[in-house]
Amino acid sequence: MIVTVSNHVDTYRVKAKFSRDVHQLDGRSGNRARTEFINRAILEVLAPQANQSLVDVGCGDGCLLQLLKQSGHSEALGVTATEEEERRLRALGLQVRQGFTDHLPVPAETADLVVCNGVFVIVPGQKIPASMREIARVAKPGALIFLGEIPQAAELANVPRSSTAAELLWYLLKTHGVRTFLGMCRRMLWSSLRGVPMVLNTAPNTEFYARPDDFVRLAADCGMQLERYFPAKDLDPSGAVKTMETRMNYLFKKAA
Ligand SMILES: C[S@@+](CC[C@H](N)C(=O)[O-])C[C@H]1O[C@@H](n2cnc3c(N)ncnc32)[C@H](O)[C@@H]1O
């Protein structure tokens, strides 16, 4: 099945509705090894105590919530953009509520830890200041806030967005040659056989990016003090750890 949408939220709605595998909600094509590696690294930075409440904004396939649950942590809430995702994740026994980064369904000053990883890249830029204020609002004074995978530059800015499969295939044939074209044909076939919807999204690949100085300044305006920032890490196809070239992780503390 191939579906065209015009924004990133609808991408996740379609995936939640039609994917057999809930891990398709991770934004990494269901690559569990990568998602687990990235979320374990976040927990290493935050080192949550069992009695600390954590909110995961844009919780994807619920990986971070699952890791916390496995370690006996019961105070974790996930926020996800669509009711469809909320339903899928609740069926796994996770605490999840639908909400948007700029309108969180969480009372003020209730979270000891807030995570928002790999989400701002797909949130329209004009919503980012309100989203940062929302995240600061739900954090308790002194809470740690992890904002991860923030691009420093527009990623894949030169790759046109296609609204039909034919358009996408034609673009790949023209610019990348027959091998890539056939690879995409195979992926489309594989998707339809495995019950994974293929979503063609016409929204920009990178909705938001910021240079570290600008991002830290914006966070400070929202009441978040920088603890440190560092390049985000991922796994390459062989499973080796690699640094993401364009993305930074930021650890902030809400002013006490
Ligand atoms: C790429 S996944 C991130 C998954 C997870 N944080 C991780 O790093 O493994 C994107 C998540 O962001 C959510 N999302 C997208 N736009 C959002 C918005 N405007 N407000 C809240 N969540 C949003 C989606 O519902 C999805 O859960």
Side-chain angles (χ1 to χ4, degrees), residues 187-206:
R187 234 186 95 191
M188 287 176 173
L189 187 64
W190 181 91
S191 292
S192 64
L193 293 176
R194 295 286 301 271
V196 178
M198 185 146 189
V199 188
L200 298 176
N201 182 356
T202 55
N205 278 308
T206 312

Side-chain angles (χ1 to χ4, degrees), residues 121-132:
V121 59
I122 53 170
V123 173
Q126 73 274 16
K127 293 189 172 186
I128 296 296
S131 300
M132 305 269 276

Side-chain angles (χ1 to χ4, degrees), residues 80-142:
T80 193
T82 67
E83 289 85 2
E84 287 84 351
E85 289 168 279
E86 179 190 310
R87 266 196 295 281
R88 292 291 297 264
L89 297 176
R90 283 192 173 198
L92 303 175
L94 301 173
Q95 282 192 66
V96 177
R97 287 187 208 144
Q98 186 278 330
F100 295 108
T101 49
D102 58 345
H103 197 84
L104 295 173
V106 181
E109 303 198 344
T110 51
D112 294 296
L113 304 165
V114 185
V115 175
C116 185
N117 186 69
V119 180
F120 278 8
V121 59
I122 53 170
V123 173
Q126 73 274 16
K127 293 189 172 186
I128 296 296
S131 300
M132 305 269 276
R133 285 195 294 274
E134 250 321 68
I135 285 173
R137 178 186 68 79
V138 306
K140 289 180 185 174

Side-chain angles (χ1 to χ4, degrees), residues 6-13 15 25-28 57-60 80-82 85 100-101 116-128 131 148-151 155-156 161 201 203-209 247:
S6 58
N7 61 75
H8 292 278
V9 169
D10 282 342
T11 296
Y12 284 91
R13 192 188 309 286
K15 288 185 180 186
L25 299 179
D26 65 4
R28 301 178 190 92
V57 179
C59 61
T80 193
T82 67
E85 289 168 279
F100 295 108
T101 49
C116 185
N117 186 69
V119 180
F120 278 8
V121 59
I122 53 170
V123 173
Q126 73 274 16
K127 293 189 172 186
I128 296 296
S131 300
E149 294 189 32
I150 308 295
E155 296 169 349
L156 304 173
R161 305 293 261 166
N201 182 356
N205 278 308
T206 312
E207 291 276 19
F208 171 76
Y209 61 92
R247 298 193 185 186

Side-chain angles (χ1 to χ4, degrees), residues 2-222:
I2 297 174
V3 184
T4 303
V5 300
S6 58
N7 61 75
H8 292 278
V9 169
D10 282 342
T11 296
Y12 284 91
R13 192 188 309 286
V14 171
K15 288 185 180 186
K17 235 168 145 175
F18 299 110
S19 297
R20 276 184 223 152
D21 178 11
V22 74
H23 299 292
Q24 288 295 324
L25 299 179
D26 65 4
R28 301 178 190 92
S29 306
N31 189 321
R32 295 178 70 174
R34 286 177 60 207
T35 297
E36 216 174 293
F37 168 79
I38 286 166
N39 283 285
R40 279 191 193 283
I42 295 171
L43 292 179
E44 265 171 40
V45 170
L46 293 177
Q49 306 296 304
N51 62 345
Q52 286 188 307
S53 56
L54 180 147
V55 176
D56 186 10
V57 179
C59 61
D61 68 345
C63 178
L64 190 91
L65 304 176
Q66 291 280 20
L67 291 172
L68 286 166
K69 201 172 163 189
Q70 283 158 17
S71 62
H73 196 287
S74 59
E75 293 295 315
L77 172 74
V79 175
T80 193
T82 67
E83 289 85 2
E84 287 84 351
E85 289 168 279
E86 179 190 310
R87 266 196 295 281
R88 292 291 297 264
L89 297 176
R90 283 192 173 198
L92 303 175
L94 301 173
Q95 282 192 66
V96 177
R97 287 187 208 144
Q98 186 278 330
F100 295 108
T101 49
D102 58 345
H103 197 84
L104 295 173
V106 181
E109 303 198 344
T110 51
D112 294 296
L113 304 165
V114 185
V115 175
C116 185
N117 186 69
V119 180
F120 278 8
V121 59
I122 53 170
V123 173
Q126 73 274 16
K127 293 189 172 186
I128 296 296
S131 300
M132 305 269 276
R133 285 195 294 274
E134 250 321 68
I135 285 173
R137 178 186 68 79
V138 306
K140 289 180 185 174
L144 288 177
I145 299 167
F146 183 98
L147 304 181
E149 294 189 32
I150 308 295
Q152 301 187 72
E155 296 169 349
L156 304 173
N158 299 327
V159 179
R161 305 293 261 166
S162 311
S163 57
T164 64
E167 206 176 291
L168 174 62
L169 289 169
W170 177 235
Y171 165 77
L172 291 176
L173 186 62
K174 263 191 327 190
T175 55
H176 291 69
V178 178
R179 259 184 86 168
T180 313
F181 167 83
L182 290 176
M184 182 52 75
C185 291
R186 206 168 37 241
R187 234 186 95 191
M188 287 176 173
L189 187 64
W190 181 91
S191 292
S192 64
L193 293 176
R194 295 286 301 271
V196 178
M198 185 146 189
V199 188
L200 298 176
N201 182 356
T202 55
N205 278 308
T206 312
E207 291 276 19
F208 171 76
Y209 61 92
R211 292 169 54 86
D213 286 357
D214 294 331
F215 193 65
V216 169
R217 207 171 304 121
L218 177 59
D221 289 345
C222 299

